[in-house]
Amino acid sequence: MSDAGRHLDARSWRALRDKSPDAVAYFADHLSRPCEVCEAFLERADGEDAFGLEAMTDEALGTLAPVREDAVGWARLRKRLGSPRRVWRPGAVAVAMAAAAAMVVFAVHPALLTGEQPGTSVRLKGGGALALELTALARLPDGALRPLTDGASLPPEAVVLIRYRSSELAHALLALESPDGSVQMLGAYTLEAGTHDLREGDALAGVSLEGEHGPKTLVLAAWPRGQGAEEARDAALAQGRVPEGATLSRLGLRVTPEDAR
Amino acid sequence: MTEEEVATCIRRAAGGAQDAHRELYQRFQGSVRRVALGYSALGPAEVEDVVQETFVRAFRELPRLQHPRAFGSWLVTIARHHAQSLSRGAQVRGRAAEDLALELETTTPAIPPALELERRVAVVRELIEELPEGPEKETVRLFYLEGELSAREIAERLGLGKSAVTMRLERFRARVKRQLLSRLLAAGVG
């Protein structure tokens, strides 16, 4: 067969995959110019990707558009990646962590998360003067934003955006608690003094309610920033423990499917 | 985000750092979404499912990734497998899942300097520029350059059938593959 008539097909593809010098040299040149026959073969190619061509192509094509933040998608993903639900141990005692800051931590007692009126903050034993308030907006499936009051009913497709007021710079953990006392840790944050949206980098932090049902309580636990480094804060997230002296603020929600409301 | 920053993020994410997971998600979710949105058979919920499932799988397997530079291509490979399985229906999903498991075990591509991401993006931009003004160029521009609409939405906007848009995108994608394969062979990788 003369070189001029050769196009990509199953046979020449095998030759390329086997690194036949003749095929490699010919097609390196031939494919540098438009060829409808070869492009039709590549369009149909749907099997083994011996050259990693599919991924290289998709990666390049996917990089063309501007990068856009996706706070809702991240909220859903973070929840799926989150630590398994745990039950806080009632009456847990203070323990010393081996973290750099050797901060004193303890597990949150369920009563502390559920026993107070909404809108107030609760200081745990030995607490300082940190004042903390938690409010929230829901981004609904149709894109609308709705301010939330305590006990608000929301569909599981909603994403909750948190706003806080803190009297000072603070480290914080956000958790979602169920009536049975199980708690899902959602993230570790640094709070600024004043009233702010809870943020992760440049994006708003959102809480996905996907997979949830019934009453839930969002709990923001914060403690003055001086008490330990960010590593200790992240360790607190991993262990589901907050330092002695943390202040808690919370918001009750009810997750109900749209068609049951 | 520079290549070095991505590599650092991957190392931290493999160790469980949540902020690193977030940065990787925000940096790469657009590419993953583009792959899924190219399948006009998939509705918005299925596209979202592809995005979520891709990152869940990738982050769980992250400690096994041997080449941080391959992260982007690894992600889109996972996304394409998952999007294909969803678009083809439940019958082949089991098989696609098996293929995916194999892919996660073995994907360690070696990309020559001539085909680093930046160079590939330049190649694609040139190919778009070379397209004659007309419906194909408009479709490619809307889908890949603006990157806000799905294949379905472009079909609605241009008054076309979904398959016509998918066909145009696949044809352009084949043109990109032809050009990249030529460079790959010239670099001696084939």
Side-chain angles (χ1 to χ4, degrees):
Chain A
M1 186 189 288
S2 74
D3 276 0
R6 286 163 68 188
H7 296 286
L8 285 177
D9 55 19
R11 186 176 169 184
S12 59
W13 192 252
R14 275 196 303 276
L16 289 176
R17 196 187 55 198
D18 295 341
K19 301 183 181 179
S20 153
D22 167 60
V24 168
Y26 170 76
F27 280 104
D29 175 60
H30 176 75
L31 296 174
S32 66
R33 296 178 295 279
C35 171
E36 286 190 11
V37 178
C38 291
E39 286 173 14
F41 175 83
L42 289 169
E43 194 176 330
R44 289 191 307 272
D46 193 23
E48 177 204 13
D49 184 14
F51 306 104
L53 199 54
E54 304 289 341
M56 278 201 294
T57 303
D58 284 334
E59 190 186 17
L61 288 169
T63 308
L64 295 172
V67 175
R68 297 179 178 89
E69 292 276 324
D70 174 24
V72 173
W74 165 244
R76 295 179 67 208
L77 181 64
R78 182 184 56 188
K79 193 148 179 286
R80 289 186 65 180
L81 295 171
S83 54
R85 289 166 190 271
R86 68 185 84 225
V87 176
W88 298 115
R89 287 169 293 163
V93 295
V95 295
M97 282 174 55
M103 58 198 294
V104 178
V105 297
F106 65 97
V108 179
H109 191 290
L112 285 172
L113 302 185
T114 57
E116 299 293 329
Q117 292 302 307
T120 60
S121 57
V122 180
R123 275 200 301 278
L124 301 181
K125 136 178 124 164
L130 178 72
L132 182 68
E133 282 180 22
L134 167 66
T135 57
L137 285 174
R139 181 176 287 162
L140 301 172
D142 63 2
L145 287 172
R146 193 179 97 199
L148 295 179
T149 54
D150 192 59
S153 187
L154 288 171
E157 297 82 11
V159 171
V160 179
L161 304 171
I162 309 289
R163 199 165 173 78
Y164 66 86
R165 188 173 70 79
S166 176
S167 58
E168 59 188 285
L169 273 173
H171 287 314
L173 297 185
L174 184 66
L176 186 65
E177 196 213 29
S178 298
D180 64 3
S182 66
V183 174
Q184 189 171 11
M185 303 306 297
L186 299 174
Y189 304 90
T190 298
L191 307 186
E192 303 292 327
T195 302
H196 302 278
D197 295 317
L198 192 64
R199 303 188 77 87
E200 293 176 331
D202 296 332
L204 295 177
V207 177
S208 168
L209 299 176
E210 191 176 38
E212 303 295 347
H213 182 74
K216 302 285 166 187
T217 304
L218 272 171
V219 184
L220 187 64
W223 59 96
R225 199 171 175 176
Q227 286 179 252
E230 287 191 2
E231 290 76 13
R233 180 201 64 182
D234 293 342
L237 172 68
Q239 297 187 14
R241 296 168 181 272
V242 295
E244 187 169 356
T247 300
L248 305 180
S249 190
R250 73 204 182 286
L251 182 73
L253 304 170
R254 177 173 291 277
V255 185
T256 315
E258 199 81 68
D259 53 9
R261 300 162 72 205
Chain B
M1 194 185 271
T2 65
E3 199 174 273
E4 185 54 39
E5 286 169 338
V6 170
T8 303
C9 246
I10 289 170
R11 277 194 298 275
R12 295 188 60 241
Q18 191 180 61
D19 61 327
H21 283 134
R22 182 183 60 77
E23 284 182 37
L24 289 174
Y25 176 79
Q26 297 296 5
R27 164 66 181 78
F28 289 99
Q29 57 89 15
S31 304
V32 169
R33 195 175 299 276
R34 276 300 95 193
V35 171
L37 287 171
Y39 286 81
S40 58
L42 302 184
E46 288 162 315
V47 168
E48 199 54 41
D49 182 69
V50 171
V51 175
Q52 292 281 315
E53 200 57 34
T54 297
F55 280 96
V56 167
R57 285 172 185 265
F59 286 160
R60 285 185 182 151
E61 299 291 335
L62 207 48
R64 291 166 53 195
L65 182 68
Q66 294 179 0
H67 302 278
R69 284 165 64 191
F71 181 69
S73 56
W74 189 54
L75 272 181
V76 292
T77 300
I78 298 172
R80 184 160 289 279
H81 276 79
H82 194 54
Q84 270 171 357
S85 72
L86 280 182
S87 66
R88 285 174 181 169
Q91 200 174 2
V92 295
R93 284 178 198 172
R95 191 184 137 203
E98 286 170 21
D99 291 348
L100 180 61
L102 186 67
E103 201 77 40
L104 291 174
E105 290 283 356
T106 58
T107 302
T108 52
I111 297 174
L115 284 161
E116 293 288 2
L117 181 58
E118 204 172 295
R119 304 285 289 274
R120 276 180 278 150
V121 169
V123 166
V124 175
R125 286 190 187 281
E126 256 176 54
L127 287 172
I128 294 175
E129 279 298 308
E130 287 167 6
L131 286 173
E133 291 302 327
E136 184 176 355
K137 189 169 189 172
E138 178 66 358
T139 303
V140 168
R141 189 185 63 74
L142 284 172
F143 188 77
Y144 289 118
L145 289 181
E146 294 194 1
E148 286 189 346
L149 300 178
S150 66
R152 278 185 176 194
E153 291 164 332
I154 291 172
E156 282 168 22
R157 178 182 283 196
L158 300 181
L160 296 166
K162 287 186 295 186
S163 59
V165 170
T166 302
M167 199 173 69
R168 287 177 187 173
L169 294 175
E170 284 302 313
R171 193 185 302 146
F172 179 71
R173 195 167 167 274
R175 196 168 300 178
V176 175
K177 283 163 71 176
R178 191 248 317 147
Q179 186 62 248
L180 295 183
L181 181 57
S182 158
R183 290 167 184 246
L184 203 59
L185 296 173
V189 175

